[in-house]
Amino acid sequence: MDLKAVKSALATQSDEMNKLPAHVAAFCSYISPWQRSQEQMIATDHSLNYQNTAAMGFRLAAGLDKPNLGNAFSKGATQLAGRKYFTRNRAPRFEIDAVAMLGMAIGYTAIRASPNEFKWLRDCLEQSSRTLRDDTWQCSFSDAARAVLDGATDFSAVDPVMSVSLKTALSIATTDDERTAAWACLIDGIGDSDMTRISALQSVYEVCAAALTRLPVKGAGVSELVKLLIGVSESMSHWTYESNRRVKGVAPQVWEIDHEYHVQNLLWTVLRPVFPDLVDEETLSKLGHTSPRYDLGVPSLHTIIEVKYMRRLGQSELRKIANEVAADHSLYLRKGSGYSKIVVFIWDETRQTEEHKTLRNGLESLEGIERVIILSRPSRMERENGNRARHI
């Protein structure tokens, strides 16, 4: 069965999310990248039944910083903590709903709650695991919830599908062995009708497919370097730029990119794990009275990454950028510099996308300019007082 056939077999109908309880839909959206577009179907009211509170936990962890979501979760969690579970003459509900318990554990982690705050949930999980032991998949939820509350990164005791999908959602690295085990479960699980398991299998598919196409760290070349830099625009969707409080007791954070050095720092973070010989701000041999200094360089690839920050609208700024790159080009690629290629990365604070093609084509016509990548300031990073770009 090839990847395309596997992916098709795991596809679900979007209207199926409408039929799920709020917390189950929230889990599916949290765990599967295929279900993220269905987030609007998840109940967003803050009525404090356990399903909505657990749904809030998943939404908090997914970074959906809706106003007062953290406070609403904390209030609902306090109510749940005050109840008695596994008592006589009371039909069990929350205490045998393993998806809800995982949502609570995830939510507590998202708001950085203290162990005292979730001790009640830890105790409840101990009993729940014994009650659910005959249902392997439900047990995987309660096992995962305990691991999350313990702050564990080793999920080896958890079902492989749950382990890989949840570790991915929590930004914890998975190993080759874990992915191999999860993939075997995926092949066996095709045709499953449980939406929570289907969603987890969708996550496993994405993780394993990505591993197959991952860049080779050893032997990565200029084309891989360019691919990474082009991909920065997509990764900016997770850049910290908060408008509302996401974590209890922590003010909203805004990681501003105000100048060229900020862009260099961003690119260093992306490139350094793949190119261990990456260097920054190194000075080349003198040329007369000039000591040229480039922004970033990969000596093994004989390639310089030159960073520019376009902060003003208008032709004057565009000419300034082009002239600076042309001047850098003649200094950096001269005989004996050790470099033969330049990749230009431009942060466009002004978002004048209509000019990008002309600027890119002009610069790439220079011999030795491997690629020009222009990243406009993302729309979600709108400054409070509007964009600082100015006409000149």
Side-chain angles (χ1 to χ4, degrees), residues 107-126:
Y108 272 130
T109 300
I111 64 170
R112 299 181 184 177
S114 69
N116 285 337
E117 291 179 84
F118 55 72
K119 182 180 183 303
W120 71 273
L121 179 59
R122 194 71 175 75
D123 294 341
C124 189
L125 282 164
E126 292 293 340

Side-chain angles (χ1 to χ4, degrees), residues 240 274 351:
T240 298
V274 180
R351 302 170 180 160

Side-chain angles (χ1 to χ4, degrees), residues 10 135 266 270 272 375:
L10 291 173
D135 188 325
L266 167 62
V270 171
R272 189 64 168 80
L375 171 58

